[in-house]
């Protein structure tokens, strides 16, 4: 995953707190705080949009803070802040985390709010609405949608005598290409895999499980299913590439050095998505984009819809947060965000805007990633236990890629830990 990184803090700026002039909670602009978790180009973009909103909406003051909560680390930050009462009004959360926040009474329920025609709720892609909805509770607005594809370095492929991957390529093709692209003398690698222990490690693995006919959890989410032959087969491929072929750069850095390797021209195949396009273009890499390799014709990928979760500090601030997010997620602002970051459209109507074709020209290949959303047929389990299950699986993947365990043993161990967790009531 994804996908988008540092910013924000645990300090909450009190909304419309009393000033020396005696301003009260019910007078003056409503102040709300957003923890957006973005870094670099994405951070500049969201900060610019916030500034524009503040300049055009004098009754609301949106504040961001430069603490240390990244998008990857937002769930524990928000969870701790909810317990301490220092939570923001809006927080950027991965869609798989929605159940962990939805159960809190401090999570606003926007199920009635989104019926307002001016929000255009049905204009959002169905899977983004699905992720923002837990049971009958809508916890926020769709923030982002993407899917996993493969970026490839055209120059390195040509040097190795390889043709660019086509729409029907397989994981065997991927492995062969990665092996031929690897050159120890120049420290050039075929591909990379993150093993920093976060969701980035597992989210790139799940398509291999799904394409082989497996699942993450059982349908009732009470037991694991990833330790099936499908899961072992997927992890065995990664083991062969990393341990036998030595064509995988094992990325243990939270700073995502694998991406920097691609930007430096020393990585041939990069499992990523549209969120890296601005950085790749800034590095002047001549790249192409292909859908994920397939298994028996199945090119199923993973999509990562994320949410702007709204947290309750009283009706006045919830209303202000809703007004801000209605503006932020409107097609016009989303197209600005897309042009800045390479993000995919969260709304269907964005494609009808006059500037949409310019966006497609700016990011060659992004149309491939958008069309690839049709292959994103599954989402991660909507379970409060999923983040911990994912962490166990990430540990299993890491141990295999580092040559410390075999796929079956590692997955069985992760399954035992996960099943024990899933059996605990209210865990």
């Amino acid at each position: 995953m994804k996908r988008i990184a540092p910013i924000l803090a645990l300090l909450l700026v009190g909304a419309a707190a009393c000033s020396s002039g005696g301003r009260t909670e019910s007078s003056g602009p409503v102040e709300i705080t957003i923890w957006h978790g973005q870094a670099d180009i994405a951070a500049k973009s969201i900060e610019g949009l916030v500034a524009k909103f503040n300049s055009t909406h004098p009754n609301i003051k949106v504040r961001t803070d430069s603490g240390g909560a990244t998008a990857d680390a937002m769930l524990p930050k928000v969870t701790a802040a909810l317990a301490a009462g220092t939570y923001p009004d809006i927080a950027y959360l991965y869609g798989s985390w929605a159940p962990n926040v939805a159960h809190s009474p401090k999570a606003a329920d926007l199920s009635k709010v989104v019926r307002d025609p001016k929000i255009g709720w049905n204009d959002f892609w169905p899977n983004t609405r699905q992720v923002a909805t837990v049971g009958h509770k809508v916890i926020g607005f769709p923030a982002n949608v993407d899917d996993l594809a493969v970026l490839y370095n055209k120059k390195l492929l040509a040097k190795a005598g390889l043709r660019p991957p086509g729409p029907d390529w397989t994981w065997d093709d991927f492995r062969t290409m990665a092996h031929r692209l690897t050159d120890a003398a120049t420290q050039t690698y075929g591909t990379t895999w993150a093993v920093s222990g976060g969701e980035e490690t597992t989210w790139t693995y799940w398509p291999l499980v799904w394409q082989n006919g497996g699942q993450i959890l059982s349908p009732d989410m009470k037991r694991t299913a990833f330790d099936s032959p499908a899961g072992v087969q997927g992890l065995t491929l990664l083991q062969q590439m990393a341990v036998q072929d030595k064509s995988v750069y094992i990325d243990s850095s939270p700073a995502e050095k694998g991406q920097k390797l691609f930007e430096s021209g020393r990585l041939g195949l990069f499992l990523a998505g549209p969120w890296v396009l601005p950085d790749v273009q800034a590095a002047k890499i001549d790249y192409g984009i292909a859908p994920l390799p397939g298994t028996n014709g199945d090119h199923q990928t993973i999509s990562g819809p994320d949410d702007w979760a709204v947290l309750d500090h009283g009706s006045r601030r919830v209303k202000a947060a809703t007004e801000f997010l209605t503006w932020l997620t409107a097609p016009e602002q989303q197209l600005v965000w897309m042009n800045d970051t390479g993000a995919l459209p969260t709304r269907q109507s964005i494609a009808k805007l006059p500037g949409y074709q310019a966006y497609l020209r700016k990011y060659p290949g992004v149309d491939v990633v958008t069309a690839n959303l049709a292959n994103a047929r599954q989402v991660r389990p909507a379970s409060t236990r999923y983040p911990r299950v994912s962490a166990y699986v990430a540990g299993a993947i890491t141990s295999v890629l580092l040559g410390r365990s075999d796929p079956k043993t590692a997955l069985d161990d992760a399954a035992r830990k996960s099943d024990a967790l899933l059996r605990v009531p209210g865990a």
Side-chain angles (χ1 to χ4, degrees), residues 121-133 142 305 346 348 379:
W121 187 243
N122 289 332
D123 187 31
F124 289 106
W125 296 108
N127 64 334
T128 66
R129 287 184 272 127
Q130 175 189 354
V131 165
T133 306
T346 54
Q348 301 171 62
V379 296

Side-chain angles (χ1 to χ4, degrees), residues 71-140:
D72 283 342
M74 191 64 76
L75 180 60
K77 286 283 187 179
V78 170
T79 301
L82 286 170
T86 57
Y87 53 96
D89 297 274
I90 301 169
Y92 185 98
L93 294 176
Y94 291 159
S96 57
W97 294 339
N100 297 74
V101 174
H103 78 282
S104 171
K106 297 167 185 174
D109 183 0
L110 306 182
S111 55
K112 293 182 179 179
V113 173
V114 298
R115 298 174 192 168
D116 189 332
K118 70 181 181 183
I119 291 175
W121 187 243
N122 289 332
D123 187 31
F124 289 106
W125 296 108
N127 64 334
T128 66
R129 287 184 272 127
Q130 175 189 354
V131 165
T133 306
V134 180
H136 298 291
K137 189 174 186 177
V138 177
I139 66 159

Side-chain angles (χ1 to χ4, degrees), residues 1 3 95-96 127 130-131 146-149 171 193 199 201-219 221 223-235 237-238 292-305 372-382 386 389-390 393 397 411:
M1 289 190 353
R3 317 178 338 249
S96 57
N127 64 334
Q130 175 189 354
V131 165
D146 52 41
D147 61 74
L148 193 64
W171 284 103
W193 205 277
E199 180 66 11
T201 302
T202 53
W203 113 294
T204 42
Y205 167 67
W206 296 136
L208 283 164
V209 177
W210 293 335
Q211 288 185 15
N212 283 295
Q215 295 294 329
I216 301 173
L217 299 179
S218 63
M221 300 189 193
R223 61 186 185 282
T224 56
F226 58 76
D227 57 330
S228 63
V232 173
Q233 186 172 347
L235 189 50
L237 171 71
L238 302 185
L292 277 193
T295 303
N296 298 322
D298 185 345
H299 291 266
Q300 194 164 178
T301 188
I302 186 167
S303 178
N372 199 36
L373 285 168
N375 290 320
R377 297 191 293 273
Q378 301 192 58
V379 296
R380 286 158 286 184
Y386 172 76
V389 170
S390 175
V393 177
I397 295 171
L411 289 176

Side-chain angles (χ1 to χ4, degrees), residues 68 84 118 145 237 262 279 287 352 417:
K118 70 181 181 183
V145 64
L237 171 71
F262 189 77
D279 293 328
Y287 69 92
K352 300 176 183 178
K417 295 174 182 175

